Amino acid sequence: MLRKLLVALFLTISLLLLALPAMAGGAATVNLDEVPTDVRAGDPLHLTFIIRQHDVRPVDEIAGVGPLVPYLEARNPETGETLRVDAYKPEGAEVGHFAVDVTFPSAGTWEWQIYPEPFALINEFEPLAVQEAQAAAPVAAQVSGASATTLRALLGWGAALALVASLVLLFARRQTPRQPAPAPQR
């Protein structure tokens, strides 16, 4: 009987010791501000996210421990490539907000997570489909969006300026007094 009591006491103490990190706030969730789409190999990807203790309170520091040191870790199981990129606290960011800039070196399905060190992670992200890098477009095809609008505006102003200059020259010629033709000499 004493033996059963000691075993029960040992198990209870063990379970309490295992639960202490959770009771002390040892778990956190990472919530992305925006889920990445159209990720291309070789192109930088800027991710922003918030870390919440127990999925409730935004946190970027643990009292008595120090600031969080989140990082992104990714692995391409097809190629065996791995990468780890430290996140950073953007200047002026609200409590719990972080960012990470990552460039995936190759196309494929990447397994990835953002770890909120020293917290234990309690959520996971879906694998990320990284597409092949885009081939460089010809220079003429690169003019688009705001560049094309600017180019059209410049061409329009250039044409208007050329028209005004032509009209000024035409009227200037008409305004010039004509010299009478010299009288024939006898």
Side-chain angles (χ1 to χ4, degrees):
M1 171 107 163
L2 182 61
R3 185 174 183 201
K4 286 183 181 180
L5 183 62
L6 287 174
V7 168
L9 183 61
F10 175 76
L11 287 174
T12 304
I13 291 172
S14 298
L15 288 173
L16 284 173
L17 288 175
L18 289 174
L20 277 178
M23 290 168 40
T29 55
V30 175
N31 301 108
L32 297 172
D33 292 339
E34 188 175 314
V35 177
T37 58
D38 194 32
V39 179
R40 300 231 173 242
D43 288 352
L45 174 64
H46 178 76
L47 296 170
T48 56
F49 56 94
I50 185 169
I51 297 176
R52 294 181 193 275
Q53 189 172 17
H54 300 298
D55 201 25
V56 177
R57 184 176 63 93
V59 62
D60 54 16
E61 188 172 326
I62 302 173
V65 176
L68 298 184
V69 186
Y71 62 91
L72 179 143
E73 198 169 75
R75 180 177 175 274
N76 184 333
E78 297 163 7
T79 64
E81 293 172 283
T82 61
L83 57 95
R84 178 185 164 143
V85 181
D86 291 335
Y88 59 92
K89 182 96 175 128
E91 191 173 322
E94 294 178 21
V95 172
H97 285 84
F98 293 87
V100 64
D101 298 312
V102 60
T103 301
F104 291 91
S106 64
T109 301
W110 286 78
E111 297 168 348
W112 66 293
Q113 289 300 326
I114 296 175
Y115 294 95
E117 282 293 318
F119 284 120
L121 179 69
I122 60 173
N123 64 310
E124 294 184 14
F125 299 129
E126 292 293 320
L128 191 60
V130 177
Q131 306 300 315
E132 290 289 336
Q134 284 184 322
V139 174
Q142 291 178 2
V143 176
S144 65
S147 300
T149 304
T150 304
L151 184 59
R152 277 193 294 271
L154 287 174
L155 288 174
W157 280 106
L161 188 59
L163 178 64
V164 168
S166 298
L167 290 173
V168 166
L169 286 174
L170 180 67
F171 284 114
R173 279 187 152 178
R174 286 190 176 180
Q175 299 287 333
T176 307
R178 291 190 183 200
Q179 303 266 337
Q185 290 187 4
R186 296 193 180 170

